[in-house]
Amino acid sequence: MELHIAKDPAQLSENVAAWISNYIQEVLQDQEKFTFVLSGGNTPKQLYSLLAKPPYAEIIPWEKIHFFWGDERAVPFEDERNNARMAYDVLLDKVPVNPDNIHVMRTDIGPEQSAQEYEQILRKYFKDEELTFDLVLLGMGDDGHTLSLFPGMPVVHEEEAWVKAFFLPAQDMYRITLTAPVVNDAACVLFLTTGGNKALTLKSVIEGTYDADKFPSQLIRPQEGELHWFVDEAAASAMEL
Ligand SMILES: O=C1O[C@H](COP(=O)(O)O)[C@@H](O)[C@H](O)[C@H]1O
């Protein structure tokens, strides 16, 4: 695992945008397409908006990238809580992406059906591949969740399915999420985490005893791929560095 610490969220987003842009270009020297899993929430907005502007809007070969989502809130696309909607607003509507390469988790059908459909899309896409995604971008909630793998929920222990839907009582909402095994088969996983409110949780996730029921972010340990944590100083403030 590599830990990268930046001064503040603005500097962190700058660093991650540059890192992602380099990584995409490097990987595309050896292959024709690149698979990029996006996260939702608030943290990645600044990063997405940087990627949508020069120089990244111009140097990233957008038409070669296939976009997927790590998780989705089962609310209509028009709802501002919808993770795909946020990514469209800040990034995908602003760069020359091929619309056929954008693979959203649908919320215009039932969550179970959407999860099954997404699983089929992924299994078909990665049929002959040893690894799954080239890059998975993740966030971490202050409760230690990542994707929609929330503390204490059975989905944390899912080992077979790549995509699951479930009802999250705390938010009175269905969630659709990739599971840990499919993310752990990725070539590279990158966590983006900011803020002092996440400092103690981050310390537990990175330096604490393994307890995935309490801190689902600990589930993410790529088998062969790289794991990077990009955090700001406030989020890193409780760690013993
Ligand atoms: O609900 C969610 O939260 C996590 C964390 O979001 P953040 O804004 O605190 O970083 C996010 O990664 C996930 O995609 C989203 O559905």
Side-chain angles (χ1 to χ4, degrees):
M1 190 275 273
E2 264 187 69
L3 180 64
H4 312 251
I5 303 176
K7 192 161 97 19
D8 53 30
Q11 187 60 57
L12 184 70
S13 301
E14 295 274 359
N15 295 353
V16 176
W19 194 94
I20 287 178
S21 170
N22 286 338
Y23 178 69
I24 292 173
Q25 291 175 76
E26 208 177 285
V27 170
L28 283 173
Q29 284 176 3
D30 298 323
Q31 59 190 55
E32 284 304 306
K33 56 188 185 182
F34 184 95
T35 48
F36 188 176
V37 176
L38 301 179
S39 60
N42 283 320
T43 314
K45 281 185 190 165
Q46 209 171 351
L47 165 67
Y48 294 165
S49 96
L50 278 176
L51 291 174
K53 290 183 197 135
Y56 307 113
E58 283 141 17
I59 58 179
I60 292 176
W62 295 102
E63 70 291 346
K64 294 188 177 179
I65 304 182
H66 280 252
F67 290 93
F68 295 87
W69 272 264
D71 72 312
E72 189 52 276
R73 299 148 175 187
V75 293
F77 182 79
E78 296 70 33
D79 188 310
E80 62 177 21
R81 293 169 298 172
N82 186 285
N83 285 339
R85 157 81 192 274
M86 183 276 278
Y88 269 90
D89 282 354
V90 189
L91 174 64
L92 301 174
D93 278 340
K94 302 182 190 299
V95 289
V97 175
N98 179 347
D100 293 341
N101 295 352
I102 303 178
H103 310 278
V104 298
M105 290 175 165
R106 290 177 60 185
T107 58
D108 59 335
I109 53 177
E112 302 285 353
Q113 195 190 340
S114 173
Q116 282 169 19
E117 188 185 284
Y118 213 63
E119 170 123 9
Q120 279 166 14
I121 291 171
L122 295 182
R123 298 244 181 215
K124 196 169 153 202
Y125 195 95
F126 293 115
K127 185 164 50 121
D128 300 319
E129 314 272 337
E130 277 173 34
L131 293 171
T132 55
F133 307 102
D134 293 307
L135 178 61
V136 180
L137 178 66
L138 295 179
M140 183 194 75
D142 47 16
D143 59 357
H145 85 268
T146 190
L147 301 155
S148 281
L149 307 177
F150 284 85
M153 300 303 292
V155 69
V156 163
H157 298 287
E158 180 60 45
E159 287 185 355
E160 297 300 323
W162 284 9
V163 190
K164 287 293 276 184
F166 66 97
F167 184 68
L168 183 61
Q171 295 184 8
D172 193 23
M173 178 196 283
Y174 276 88
R175 292 281 187 139
I176 305 156
T177 187
L178 299 187
T179 60
V182 67
V183 171
N184 283 333
D185 276 343
C188 183
V189 179
L190 192 160
F191 272 93
L192 185 64
T193 304
T194 61
N197 56 324
K198 294 184 180 173
L200 290 176
T201 305
L202 185 65
K203 178 183 171 58
S204 300
V205 168
I206 292 186
E207 296 177 342
T209 313
Y210 186 81
D211 182 353
D213 266 315
K214 207 165 165 197
F215 300 110
S217 295
Q218 290 180 329
L219 288 163
I220 305 304
R221 296 175 167 190
Q223 312 259 356
E224 294 171 38
E226 301 171 24
L227 175 61
H228 296 268
W229 278 86
F230 280 85
V231 309
D232 70 350
E233 283 179 4
S237 59
M239 287 198 285
E240 290 158 27
L241 298 167

